[in-house]
Amino acid sequence: MLDSVLFQIAMIITIGVLSQWIAWRFRLPAIVIMSLAGLIIGPFFGLFSPQETFGEIFSPIISLAVAIILFEGSLSLDFREIRGFRHSIVRISTVGALIAWLLGSLAAHYLAGLSLDVAFVIGGLFIVTGPTVIIPLLRQAKLKERPATILKWEGIVVDPFGALVALFAMEVVFFRNQMISGTSLLLFFGASVLAAVIGAGVGFSIGWLLERGYIPEYLKSPIVLGSVLLVFVLSDAIMHETGLLAVTAMGIVMANMHLSSLRDLLHFKENISVLLISSVFIMLTASLSIDTLLEILNWHMLAFVLAMMFVVRPLSIWLSTIGVGLTNKERTLIGWIAPRGIVALTVSGFFADVLVKSGFEGAEIITALTLGLVFSTVLAHGFSIGWLAKKLGLQATEESGVIIVGGGSFTAVLAEAIQSFDKPALIMDREWGRLYKARQLNIKTAVGDILSEHTEFSVDLTPYETLIAASGEDAYNALICHRFLPEYGREHIYQTPMHTGDPSDYSKTLGGKTFLDQGYDIHTLNHLVDEGYTIRKTTLTEQYTYSDYEEDQKSQTTIPLFAVDQDNNLFFLEDNKKRSLDGVTIVSLTSPIRKIIKAIEKAGNSEVSPSTDENV
């Protein structure tokens, strides 16, 4: 059964997705888990060998997957995102890449023992990082906006250029050794320009057709996906490795046409990319041999890898970012994070084959050298990015916060209660006046429509893991929940109960989960706060259980809002009915009568229940 092609395909996808889930569940770098999973089922235990199973179609499958991943990444490269630090990205992608190419080539020659010709070629390839490794790391680390955006743009933009730089270097080496004529160099430049033109032209044409309704909704994603594959294959047929440039150009053009249906395309491509990244990493690592892995332990290779990580990368970033406005902490973080991934692994095999067949000495160790760099950077950067960002103060937040859409009395005191647990809270509203109460309580606020594109680029939503739609308009709340469902997930999207009509007017697929019981709509909650209701915290103990809490609250109007456990994790009681509540602090909106009862108890020196009960 293990030899069945269908079985291996199913297992590769399953193990890849399972690795992603394990990484999410235990807050580990997804790339590391996927790589280890591939090594376990491949060279360590010999359960699968995808390269043997798929034979001649192994490399084409990997190449097409990389093309889709790179296109999906480039679809997010909207130039509006980099206002204020465009110079940093341009410098790193040009001057920084050139410095890394030259220094990497010298390291490959003097430390890894490659000939100057081979080192010149492979040094060009090693400037790449790529979305397959950068984007999972950024998702895990939750960096601040500027370093995260710079790393993302560098990874996507430099990816195709790394392959082209290596291809150009190989053409120069062949020309220097009189193996080709000068015409071939001109053809290389011509093919590169043509690939970019093909990608940009197809991207613009598809975007034009999408906007004018010439493509039906159900065919939009399939047609775009098919076009990406066609552009990649056509460009690659003209000249090898130019397909990556073509699909990147196609994605960037479409991203900056500001298409109305772009977000739907992005969600579709993101889902595919998760499957492809998982599967491709499993396939590549599972196809390695023990001999190749042992080659990595050669001290020459270890010295090269260490030089690339601790000398070449930091030096190229620090030199290329002089005078562009980045802080030393940002330059330190960016100068450390440069994991290599799928593109380096797949493209290095092509160059190794060509150079070995052409008789260049040392080219046979290119695959092992690439593998050593990939694994070392993935492990080192995967486990260190969060720690280093925290030390440098470049993490958006250590705690997962809450964004509340809708200003008012209730949302202001709710946000204040959330902030009292050292969790970030943001209240956003389309009208400045509705945020008056929040500003009085020193709550972070933002004016604007969360559904607008302008807000997407002006408000950093990274620190907020949970969204509560609490505006005065039921339809607007439902629309907000529907819009942000793919980003936050259904478990982290809430909306206040409807105050008009029937709750069944909105399906579960449109709105979010209901925040509080029906009847406590936002207008009622605002009225209660205006009437004197206050936030109260009650800590449960073995002596004072949740049952005691419920019994005590029967004599007064109390509305449980959320709870925080001993590890400072915020959750909603409705979602955790089976959760142990020992040591949990329940935050409630309580009637003013509670103050009167407490005052009477204090005056009469009566015994009170052994719970921690206080006002915020």
Side-chain angles (χ1 to χ4, degrees):
M1 182 177 69
L2 293 179
D3 295 331
S4 165
V5 176
L6 284 176
F7 179 77
Q8 290 204 24
I9 292 174
M11 287 307 298
I12 287 169
I13 294 174
T14 302
I15 293 171
V17 175
L18 182 61
S19 299
Q20 293 265 17
W21 180 84
I22 291 173
W24 166 80
R25 181 66 180 81
F26 297 100
R27 298 179 180 270
L28 297 171
I31 299 299
V32 174
I33 303 301
M34 291 185 289
S35 300
L36 292 177
L39 291 176
I40 290 171
I41 66 172
F44 290 171
F45 290 98
L47 300 177
F48 300 110
S49 180
Q51 191 164 13
E52 293 181 7
T53 300
F54 295 111
E56 293 183 356
I57 66 171
F58 178 79
S59 292
I61 289 174
I62 300 294
S63 297
L64 291 176
V66 171
I68 295 171
I69 293 167
L70 199 55
F71 172 74
E72 187 272 327
S74 62
L75 268 183
S76 65
L77 299 185
D78 192 316
F79 290 121
R80 294 175 296 179
E81 185 181 24
I82 58 173
R83 291 171 183 168
F85 44 93
R86 185 174 300 180
H87 294 304
S88 305
I89 295 173
V90 172
R91 285 272 201 93
I92 291 173
S93 302
T94 54
V95 178
L98 177 61
I99 295 172
W101 178 16
L102 297 177
L103 294 180
S105 300
L106 293 175
H109 174 63
Y110 289 106
L111 296 177
L114 298 179
S115 66
L116 274 175
D117 288 335
V118 176
F120 185 55
V121 175
I122 208 64
L125 177 61
F126 287 160
I127 69 173
V128 305
T129 52
T132 59
V133 284
I134 283 294
I135 291 176
L137 287 187
L138 296 180
R139 188 181 297 125
Q140 162 210 344
K142 294 185 178 179
L143 302 183
K144 287 186 176 179
E145 182 183 11
R146 185 156 69 175
T149 303
I150 290 173
L151 285 170
K152 182 185 78 172
W153 273 74
E154 181 205 4
I156 297 171
V157 171
V158 175
D159 227 29
F161 285 112
L164 289 178
V165 165
L167 191 61
F168 167 72
M170 189 170 68
E171 295 288 328
V172 170
V173 167
F174 285 168
F175 176 74
R176 194 177 73 84
N177 288 275
Q178 298 182 346
M179 300 172 68
I180 60 171
S181 64
T183 306
S184 296
L185 284 176
L186 294 177
L187 287 175
F188 164 78
F189 288 111
S192 300
V193 173
L194 181 59
V197 170
I198 291 174
V202 172
F204 180 82
S205 300
I206 295 293
W208 187 86
L209 292 172
L210 289 173
E211 280 301 275
R212 281 156 181 77
Y214 289 109
I215 300 176
E217 199 67 32
Y218 73 97
L219 283 180
K220 286 182 178 179
S221 294
I223 286 179
V224 171
L225 181 60
S227 301
V228 170
L229 298 178
L230 180 62
V231 165
F232 173 76
V233 171
L234 181 61
S235 301
D236 224 44
I238 296 173
M239 177 165 282
H240 201 63
E241 303 306 335
T242 60
L244 296 179
L245 175 63
V247 296
T248 302
M250 180 179 174
I252 291 176
V253 167
M254 293 183 68
N256 290 278
M257 290 178 71
H258 308 142
L259 306 174
S260 57
S261 55
L262 182 62
R263 197 172 301 280
D264 295 331
L265 294 176
L266 273 172
H267 294 325
F268 174 73
K269 295 291 187 298
E270 284 171 358
N271 292 333
I272 290 182
S273 290
V274 169
L275 285 176
L276 291 178
I277 290 174
S278 307
S279 303
V280 167
F281 258 97
I282 297 296
M283 290 172 66
L284 287 173
T285 51
S287 297
L288 299 173
S289 65
I290 293 293
D291 293 337
T292 302
L293 294 175
L294 291 176
E295 282 187 65
I296 300 174
L297 301 179
N298 183 299
W299 76 267
H300 291 285
M301 292 195 182
L302 293 177
F304 167 76
V305 169
L306 291 174
M308 291 292 289
M309 293 171 62
F310 292 99
V311 179
V312 175
R313 172 65 178 184
L315 200 56
S316 66
I317 295 299
W318 277 83
L319 291 176
S320 63
T321 55
I322 294 174
V324 297
L326 293 181
T327 66
N328 288 338
K329 290 182 177 181
E330 288 172 332
R331 295 166 77 188
T332 299
L333 179 65
I334 296 170
W336 169 243
I337 302 301
R340 276 62 171 191
I342 293 174
V343 171
L345 276 176
T346 55
V347 177
S348 65
F350 162 74
F351 288 110
D353 289 341
V354 174
L355 292 172
V356 167
K357 290 177 181 177
S358 301
F360 286 92
E361 186 178 350
E364 62 276 357
I365 70 169
I366 286 178
T367 301
L369 195 67
T370 307
L371 187 63
L373 184 61
V374 168
F375 276 140
S376 300
T377 54
V378 162
L379 287 169
H381 300 155
F383 281 113
S384 65
I385 184 171
W387 174 85
L388 182 60
K390 181 180 177 181
K391 288 292 182 183
L392 296 174
L394 295 176
Q395 254 186 339
T397 177
E398 188 178 351
E399 294 283 354
S400 298
V402 180
I403 179 171
I404 305 170
V405 182
S409 304
F410 170 73
T411 54
V413 297
L414 174 63
E416 185 184 31
I418 292 170
Q419 283 191 167
S420 70
F421 291 95
D422 295 323
K423 291 182 176 294
L426 170 69
I427 300 181
M428 189 169 188
D429 199 288
R430 291 174 289 183
E431 294 186 20
W432 175 265
R434 290 179 185 156
L435 298 172
Y436 173 73
K437 179 70 172 179
R439 291 194 299 273
Q440 279 189 318
L441 297 176
N442 294 319
I443 307 298
K444 185 176 180 181
T445 62
V447 180
D449 188 346
I450 195 170
L451 298 177
S452 72
E453 287 191 1
H454 172 74
T455 299
E456 183 177 352
F457 299 106
S458 61
V459 180
D460 182 16
L461 301 181
T462 306
Y464 311 106
E465 189 178 67
T466 301
L467 183 147
I468 300 175
S471 77
E473 303 171 42
D474 296 324
Y476 183 58
N477 290 339
L479 192 58
I480 291 170
C481 294
H482 182 70
R483 156 64 185 85
F484 285 95
L485 189 63
E487 280 89 347
Y488 286 86
R490 189 167 297 280
E491 294 302 309
H492 301 284
I493 291 274
Y494 295 85
Q495 68 182 92
T496 49
M498 291 180 58
H499 67 280
T500 58
D502 188 336
S504 62
D505 290 346
Y506 299 98
S507 67
K508 291 183 179 180
T509 59
L510 180 59
K513 299 171 68 175
T514 303
F515 178 68
L516 305 182
D517 295 331
Q518 199 65 36
Y520 290 119
D521 60 76
I522 189 61
H523 300 285
T524 301
L525 293 169
N526 283 332
H527 176 72
L528 292 177
V529 173
D530 293 337
E531 289 292 313
Y533 274 61
T534 58
I535 294 291
R536 182 170 294 279
K537 298 177 183 177
T538 304
T539 301
L540 304 182
T541 64
E542 292 183 3
Q543 294 77 29
Y544 187 81
T545 65
Y546 186 65
S547 298
D548 296 326
Y549 169 80
E550 288 184 310
E551 188 67 29
D552 283 352
Q553 306 315 313
K554 289 180 181 178
S555 60
Q556 61 218 312
T557 304
T558 296
I559 310 167
L561 301 177
F562 63 89
V564 176
D565 63 21
Q566 292 174 310
D567 296 323
N568 207 42
N569 297 313
L570 185 150
F571 64 95
F572 297 96
L573 294 172
E574 299 81 5
D575 303 330
N576 295 271
K577 293 185 183 298
K578 297 181 180 180
R579 186 173 185 154
S580 174
L581 295 178
D582 288 344
V584 164
T585 298
I586 300 178
V587 179
S588 309
L589 187 65
T590 308
S591 167
I593 195 174
R594 177 66 175 173
K595 288 184 179 180
I596 300 173
I597 294 174
K598 293 287 286 185
I600 294 174
E601 290 176 343
K602 186 175 181 181
N605 196 25
S606 59
E607 184 178 349
V608 295
S609 299
S611 67
T612 302
D613 205 355
E614 58 177 287
N615 288 318
V616 174

